Amino acid sequence: MREEEYSRFKSMVMAEVEEHLPRDEHYEILTSTVEKNNKSLDALMIRQKSAIMTPTIYMEDYFKEFLSGRSMTEICREISQIVQRAEIPPIQIESLIDYTKVKDKLRLHLVSKENNQRYLEQGPYRLDTMGAVVVYADMEDSIAGQYLGTRITDSLLKGYGITENQLFEDALVQTRMNQPFTFQSMGSLVEEMTGAPADALLGDAGTSMYIITNRDKLYGAAVSLYPDTFQKAREMLGEDFYVLPSSVHELLLIRRSIGHTPSELRWMVREVNREQVDPGERLSNEVFEYRGKENQLLQCKIKEREWER
């Protein structure tokens, strides 16, 4: 990114966006760096001084549009419209600090554990075979298509008066109950998205590759944390399979009988991560195998041709 030009762009947005906001509603405009999974994002935070919550506008996409020729006036007008039409969910601070009110909103997210320590240390987390597990309070709504969940921090946990174990146990129960896992072949998904026969586009891959996620298809990789997800997937596939962490939102399953080597699959995962997956949504660069007999998910050790947990 062109750092000097980007810095000027942010200053220009802060100065001009104010011109598009109602003058009688007293908005406060701030910039901040938001730590999301494996990525630091520059954010513009525009808060009506009487409001409890603040819409967050991420700047980098708008900067790319600016470089592509979109005018500053058009960008600032859109940002102001987002802020003014945003319907902030009616969740009061009390509902976040009172555990009896937040408990049924808890959700587990499976995120990257690779080069992600600063993000993880913002609250309680646990390491898992494919990544790290964190807990969010799901606000069940969004602004401008952006997820509005709140990470459970150490200070919130302390205020709840419960143990970390209890937090994760409750979050698993609520996540599993509210976000059941879904299982779909790649061919079925392609037909659903394009309306075209999958055979012509994918060939055998349409029936050898499968996607598991949750019903909302948002942070769906967490379905791997449910105790019976992989067992059920094996029952449907009838054999062991490789697991490719396509993103924090879904996992790709490939039958072992197809004959791909772990080395080939890891190359594919890394290429897709590099070319197609946003850094904030990457889960892992590794490949895993589920072995039904042992009911274990194992990481492929490519060089040694061995397996490790």
Side-chain angles (χ1 to χ4, degrees):
M1 185 176 293
R2 310 170 193 179
E3 293 299 331
E4 291 186 8
E5 191 171 359
Y6 182 48
S7 180
R8 288 197 300 271
F9 169 79
K10 290 188 289 184
S11 298
M12 291 167 63
V13 169
M14 287 188 67
E16 187 165 333
V17 75
E18 190 170 9
E19 299 299 317
H20 296 273
L21 294 169
R23 295 184 180 277
D24 59 346
E25 295 191 14
H26 307 291
Y27 286 91
E28 183 179 16
I29 303 173
L30 306 169
T31 58
S32 178
T33 300
V34 178
E35 291 294 334
K36 298 189 75 174
N37 175 36
N38 219 19
K39 189 177 183 182
S40 297
L41 298 175
D42 287 316
L44 186 68
M45 308 182 79
I46 304 177
R47 183 174 72 90
Q48 193 173 354
K49 292 186 178 180
S50 60
I52 293 175
M53 303 189 72
T54 306
T56 300
I57 309 296
Y58 296 110
M59 302 285 281
E60 292 180 17
D61 288 341
Y62 281 117
F63 180 59
K64 291 174 184 177
E65 292 178 11
F66 179 70
L67 293 179
S68 298
R70 192 176 186 189
S71 73
M72 177 64 66
T73 298
E74 187 177 347
I75 288 172
C76 291
R77 183 182 295 119
E78 179 176 302
I79 291 173
S80 70
Q81 289 171 349
I82 289 172
V83 172
Q84 291 178 73
R85 70 170 177 256
E87 296 181 0
I88 305 296
I91 294 181
Q92 303 297 319
I93 298 298
E94 289 77 10
S95 68
L96 187 59
I97 62 177
D98 184 340
Y99 193 67
T100 63
K101 295 179 180 179
V102 80
K103 180 178 176 180
D104 65 351
K105 296 178 172 60
L106 296 177
R107 302 291 184 266
L108 294 178
H109 288 186
L110 183 63
V111 301
S112 174
K113 61 185 176 185
E114 300 166 8
N115 304 314
N116 210 14
Q117 196 62 30
R118 186 166 62 172
Y119 166 77
L120 295 177
E121 289 177 351
Q122 292 178 358
Y125 70 92
R126 292 185 170 179
L127 296 180
D128 183 70
T129 304
M130 281 191 292
V133 187
V134 296
V135 182
Y136 272 72
D138 192 347
M139 294 175 59
E140 303 174 0
D141 213 332
S142 63
I143 292 176
Q146 296 184 23
Y147 176 73
L148 285 182
T150 300
R151 172 89 182 273
I152 301 301
T153 61
D154 291 327
S155 59
L156 282 171
L157 176 59
K158 183 178 180 180
Y160 294 153
I162 63 169
T163 65
E164 185 175 310
N165 284 342
Q166 187 66 54
L167 176 72
F168 278 90
E169 288 174 10
D170 290 345
L172 176 58
V173 169
Q174 294 299 325
T175 308
R176 191 179 182 192
M177 180 170 60
N178 290 282
Q179 297 180 328
F181 97 97
T182 63
F183 178 94
Q184 185 177 24
S185 71
M186 181 66 75
S188 172
L189 177 64
V190 169
E191 290 181 357
E192 183 181 291
M193 294 174 63
T194 66
D199 291 347
L201 297 172
L202 298 175
D204 293 340
T207 55
S208 63
M209 302 172 69
Y210 296 81
I211 296 168
I212 60 172
T213 182
N214 59 30
R215 186 171 52 196
D216 299 328
K217 297 181 173 59
L218 187 66
Y219 292 98
V223 299
S224 65
L225 305 172
Y226 306 168
D228 57 352
T229 294
F230 288 134
Q231 289 174 302
K232 289 181 177 178
R234 193 188 186 286
E235 289 173 6
M236 288 184 274
L237 292 177
E239 64 176 276
D240 291 348
F241 49 84
Y242 292 113
V243 180
L244 278 59
S246 18
S247 79
V248 296
H249 301 301
E250 72 280 314
L251 303 172
L252 186 64
L253 311 185
I254 298 182
R255 298 175 184 270
R256 284 210 66 197
S257 61
I258 297 302
H260 292 300
T261 67
S263 180
E264 292 170 337
L265 294 175
R266 188 173 71 169
W267 179 86
M268 182 173 74
V269 167
R270 295 185 174 193
E271 281 296 299
V272 171
N273 274 343
R274 182 165 57 248
E275 300 294 334
Q276 301 180 29
V277 183
D278 184 277
E281 298 186 346
R282 292 174 190 166
L283 180 53
S284 175
N285 280 317
E286 300 302 327
V287 175
F288 306 84
E289 182 195 21
Y290 178 73
R291 293 182 174 181
K293 185 176 180 180
E294 297 88 357
N295 188 26
Q296 288 182 321
L297 182 70
L298 307 168
Q299 180 183 322
C300 300
K301 289 185 68 174
I302 307 300
K303 292 182 179 179
E304 294 80 6
R305 304 294 179 181
E306 297 174 354
W307 303 99
E308 68 174 8
R309 286 186 185 275

